[in-house]
Amino acid sequence: MDFSILIYLAPIAGLVSLIAAGLLAARVLKAKPGDNKMIEIAKAIQEGAMAYLSRQYRTIAIVAVVLFLVIGFALGWTLAISFLVGAVCSGIAGFIGMNVSVRANVRTAAAAKKSLKDALNLAFRGGAVTGLAVVGLSMLGVSLSYIVFRDINLVIGFGFGASLISLFARVGGGIYTKAADVGADIVGKVEAGIPEDDPRNPATIADNVGDNVGDCAGMGADLFETYAVTLLAAMLIGATLVPAGTDAFAAKEVIFPLALGSVAIIASIIGIFFVRLGKAKKIMNALYKGVYAAAIISAAAFAAITCWMFGDLTYFWVALVGIIITVLMFVFTEYYTSTKHRPVKAIAAASETGAGTNVISGLSFGMESTIMPVLTIVVGILVAFFVAGGFDGNGLYGIAVAAIAMLSTAGMIVALDSYGPITDNAGGIAEMSEQPAKVREVTDELDAVGNTTKAVTKGYAIGSAALGALALFADYYDKMVAQAGGQEIDLAINNPVILVGLLIGGLLPFAFTSVTMRAVSKAAMGVVAEVRRQFKEMPGILKGKQKPDYAKAVDIVTGAALKEMILPGAMAIVVPILVGWLLGTAALAGVLIGIIVVGLMLAMTLNNAGGAWDNAKKLIESDGLYGGKGSEAHKAAVVGDTVGDPTKDTSGPGLNALIKVVNMVAILFISIFTVGGVLGL
């Protein structure tokens, strides 16, 4: 049967998603933005966010142009064009998300004057614009690239372009947001004893800008890349299953991932309408309704498509494994980061004896939080592999299909993540514009849930990246075997070359984390110095008689973030190329295995520990437990939250992008490497 029609339905699904995003954006922008003071503050956040993003993209453009020329001369100009298209699409996804979020924030604050329901609807719709734009652009880009080039190996360039932008956006945005946040907290909350988002704090605008460039633009580019690269990995493995001499362009194994992604986009659009606040007014339940609705609709559609294309439900069961992994990742991450459960409560209790015990407790739970998610992924990999046929069948393709199924709710996941900074900004605008206490109560309630949704979505992104990276590794291995003339490559660790590769791969996540966390520290020190200077030289600020110089803090953080993001980004590109060139393709295979395993564990630890520290502080503040705001326990919790800021919003999410960039570089440049490298190993 000819399934080529499905290739052309994929870009249509992408366009439908973009149209839906446009309609949602129009509804959000129709809402009233509040009074003049709220508009003035929101405008300052908008200007700071757009100024940073434009400077960031100009910096990344220089790197992209250099790589475009390198790829063009070394590997071919078609591949270079594909790379450029992927980079541009990823950048557009981040731009759209942030552009809407910096307008939805003030409208959410204004809606909070009316009711919790109105504010929730606006915040979620603002986030949904980003979600639908990300999956729509990703599906459109991958499918159109495949249609134009008619060779899935040429679409690898698109994936690498998306990965590059994702890494820089994640790292640069993460450094910006956490440097501003840490700087504002240290001087404002700890030293001066003023509330969060207090208009007297010179770093408060920079802090609110950071929420957008880190979580909206950064997460948008991150999941755009995850979506595109996972689609690409499944299609690459599918192409290896097509009999020799057969045109792979319309083969069902290649088209199947596009078909699953297309129906999942429609399911996400439908899922948006299920997000409604019930009588119990539980915000998290309202948000999860949409996610579960999208997952259930996707599962039903997957069953129909699988049966139609393959004549049985084998790959449906595999896809179901991916959906179950997604649900369990949500459950485990929420358990370790929500204020309702034991870990966060235990960290809050540990704060009573000081910052030291708070930090120790947070690290402990962060490490513990890797156990169940990793075991879930392990079981999922084994089930998907053997259900799909194992070693004698299409086991690796089964893992790739499970990864695609994990992304079935990606539109909703990005919506949940973008919801977080929108509500965070809404609370900041309400505080700075001196709105009535009841308005801040509504925004605080929304923001408390936003902290958990951000942690949950980061956990989801890390899990899906792990499965996607395994599929990419499978394609790298196939290309390595083909390059060796069809001879199987032994990757046993008694080969010192493989062992060296494993150690380098395991080292990379730690080196990357060290560089990114130090970057946050250095940038935050600049903010701290500036805020202290303004408090000292302009004593009227703390008395409310002088207006702080917000622009200076914004400029300091912008410059620092752009400078500090270069080294970690370069590591992801240079290290795999050097290993492949010097030590050979087998050593590089070891690097890929090492970075997947170690990167997954470290990313989960950093993400969940940071989320737990943040909510432990929120628990003490909101419920008045352990002494409430201003108590010694609260001061200790603020320290823990300060430590956790770069772990959960800079280094942890950055590792997610690092894993895939290194894999994409290996696949893209494998043709210029030899088995033993120039050293003849």
Side-chain angles (χ1 to χ4, degrees):
M1 186 180 292
D2 184 11
F3 296 106
S4 59
I5 182 72
L6 293 176
I7 297 176
Y8 302 99
L9 290 177
I12 293 173
L15 282 172
V16 169
S17 187
L18 291 175
I19 291 169
L23 293 173
L24 277 175
R27 291 189 66 180
V28 169
L29 296 177
K30 277 184 180 179
K32 293 181 180 180
D35 58 42
N36 290 335
K37 194 167 184 180
M38 294 171 72
I39 293 171
E40 180 186 352
I41 295 165
K43 187 177 180 182
I45 295 171
Q46 291 171 28
E47 290 174 352
M50 297 312 296
Y52 172 77
L53 199 63
S54 61
R55 285 178 63 178
Q56 182 188 57
Y57 282 174
R58 287 199 299 271
T59 304
I60 297 173
I62 297 171
V63 179
V65 168
V66 172
L67 284 172
F68 171 78
L69 295 174
V70 170
I71 294 169
F73 283 113
L75 304 172
W77 293 105
T78 303
L79 202 60
I81 291 170
S82 177
F83 159 77
L84 205 58
V85 172
V88 170
C89 286
S90 182
I92 291 172
F95 176 82
I96 290 173
M98 199 183 72
N99 206 26
V100 173
S101 71
V102 294
R103 287 164 173 77
N105 53 14
V106 66
R107 288 165 171 80
T108 300
K113 293 181 179 181
K114 298 178 182 178
S115 68
L116 177 65
K117 178 182 177 182
D118 288 338
L120 172 62
N121 287 340
L122 257 174
F124 178 73
R125 286 171 186 165
V129 173
T130 307
L132 295 181
V134 164
V135 296
L137 274 169
S138 190
M139 177 59 73
L140 190 64
V142 171
S143 58
L144 282 182
S145 296
Y146 186 54
I147 290 169
V148 171
F149 299 131
R150 299 185 69 87
D151 183 353
I152 189 60
N153 288 297
L154 292 176
V155 188
I156 292 173
F158 182 94
F160 179 51
S163 296
L164 180 75
I165 299 299
S166 167
L167 181 63
F168 280 110
R170 254 305 180 200
V171 173
I175 293 171
Y176 186 112
T177 183
K178 291 304 106 180
D181 195 357
V182 170
D185 282 355
I186 287 176
V187 187
K189 295 173 72 173
V190 177
E191 295 181 4
I194 58 178
E196 189 170 1
D197 296 317
D198 192 297
R200 293 171 292 175
N201 193 328
T204 191
I205 292 293
D207 187 10
N208 281 279
V209 168
D211 292 331
N212 294 287
V213 301
D215 280 311
C216 290
M219 188 63 162
D222 187 352
L223 276 178
F224 173 92
E225 175 257 356
T226 298
Y227 197 93
V229 167
T230 306
L231 267 178
L232 177 61
M235 294 170 73
L236 284 165
I237 294 177
T240 65
L241 305 179
V242 180
T246 305
D247 183 12
F249 178 70
K252 60 185 179 182
E253 291 86 357
V254 178
I255 299 171
F256 185 53
L258 290 176
L260 295 184
S262 297
V263 297
I265 284 176
I266 305 303
S268 289
I269 294 173
I270 297 171
I272 289 170
F273 296 98
F274 282 81
V275 176
R276 293 184 180 182
L277 201 62
K279 292 181 180 179
K281 293 187 177 182
K282 292 185 177 180
I283 299 170
M284 187 64 82
N285 289 350
L287 296 173
Y288 278 174
K289 284 178 190 175
V291 177
Y292 294 144
I296 292 168
I297 295 168
S298 293
F302 289 174
I305 289 174
T306 305
C307 195
W308 174 46
M309 294 185 71
F310 292 94
D312 60 45
L313 291 175
T314 299
Y315 290 122
F316 165 69
W317 301 123
V318 171
L320 200 58
V321 169
I323 293 174
I324 292 171
I325 291 175
T326 297
V327 173
L328 291 177
M329 291 294 286
F330 265 60
V331 171
F332 297 141
T333 307
E334 184 182 351
Y335 174 76
Y336 280 98
T337 58
S338 173
T339 55
K340 300 176 183 177
H341 303 297
R342 179 181 67 94
V344 169
K345 290 179 179 179
I347 295 170
S351 303
E352 288 191 298
T353 51
T357 46
N358 170 284
V359 172
I360 292 169
S361 181
L363 282 174
S364 170
F365 281 113
M367 293 176 186
E368 180 187 302
S369 72
T370 64
I371 297 172
M372 292 309 297
V374 170
L375 290 178
T376 298
I377 291 172
V378 166
V379 173
I381 288 171
L382 291 175
V383 172
F385 183 80
F386 287 107
V387 168
F391 295 102
D392 298 323
N394 300 331
L396 290 175
Y397 187 61
I399 295 173
V401 170
I404 291 292
M406 277 196 74
L407 292 169
S408 62
T409 55
M412 290 295 298
I413 302 303
V414 180
L416 292 186
D417 187 79
S418 296
Y419 159 90
I422 289 172
T423 56
D424 195 352
N425 271 199
I429 291 169
E431 179 77 30
M432 296 179 70
S433 61
E434 300 175 338
Q435 298 300 312
K438 65 177 184 179
V439 176
R440 187 63 208 240
E441 286 173 9
V442 171
T443 58
D444 280 349
E445 195 171 347
L446 293 170
D447 185 28
V449 173
N451 282 329
T452 302
T453 62
K454 285 189 288 185
V456 167
T457 52
K458 288 183 179 75
Y460 161 85
I462 292 166
S464 61
L467 283 185
L470 284 174
L472 287 173
F473 175 76
D475 180 69
Y476 173 82
Y477 183 80
D478 284 339
K479 285 179 168 56
M480 186 169 61
V481 169
Q483 192 182 54
Q487 179 181 353
E488 291 292 321
I489 307 295
D490 185 7
L491 298 180
I493 60 171
N494 59 2
N495 180 343
V497 174
I498 306 300
L499 184 58
V500 166
L502 281 170
L503 291 173
I504 294 173
L507 172 67
L508 257 179
F510 285 95
F512 178 89
T513 300
S514 171
V515 170
T516 51
M517 290 193 69
R518 191 178 301 120
V520 171
S521 177
K522 287 169 64 178
M525 286 166 64
V527 178
V528 168
E530 174 59 22
V531 175
R532 285 174 177 167
R533 182 193 68 79
Q534 290 196 33
F535 281 165
K536 182 179 180 181
E537 296 179 6
M538 295 183 281
I541 291 176
L542 286 174
K543 296 177 182 177
K545 296 179 180 180
Q546 279 181 280
K547 185 177 179 181
D549 184 357
Y550 300 123
K552 184 64 177 176
V554 170
D555 186 63
I556 288 172
V557 184
T558 298
L562 294 176
K563 177 184 175 183
E564 299 293 342
M565 74 178 185
I566 300 299
L567 178 57
M571 288 170 58
I573 300 168
V574 173
V575 171
I577 291 177
L578 281 179
V579 171
W581 180 62
L582 291 173
L583 305 180
T585 53
L588 186 52
V591 169
L592 301 187
I593 297 171
I595 198 170
I596 291 171
V597 174
V598 177
L600 171 65
M601 310 286 186
L602 187 57
M604 284 184 179
T605 297
L606 295 173
N607 176 60
N608 294 335
W613 273 317
D614 191 352
N615 273 342
K617 179 198 70 175
K618 286 282 193 299
L619 180 63
I620 294 173
E621 291 176 342
S622 61
D623 289 352
L625 298 174
Y626 314 108
K629 281 187 179 181
S631 65
E632 291 303 311
H634 181 239
K635 291 177 182 178
V638 170
V639 173
D641 178 40
T642 303
V643 174
D645 275 337
T647 69
K648 69 181 173 65
D649 288 326
T650 308
S651 300
L655 286 170
N656 173 37
L658 176 75
I659 293 169
K660 287 169 292 179
V661 170
V662 171
N663 275 269
M664 290 303 301
V665 170
I667 292 172
L668 189 65
F669 288 95
I670 189 172
S671 62
I672 66 173
F673 304 144
T674 58
V675 174
V678 297
L679 298 181
L681 301 174

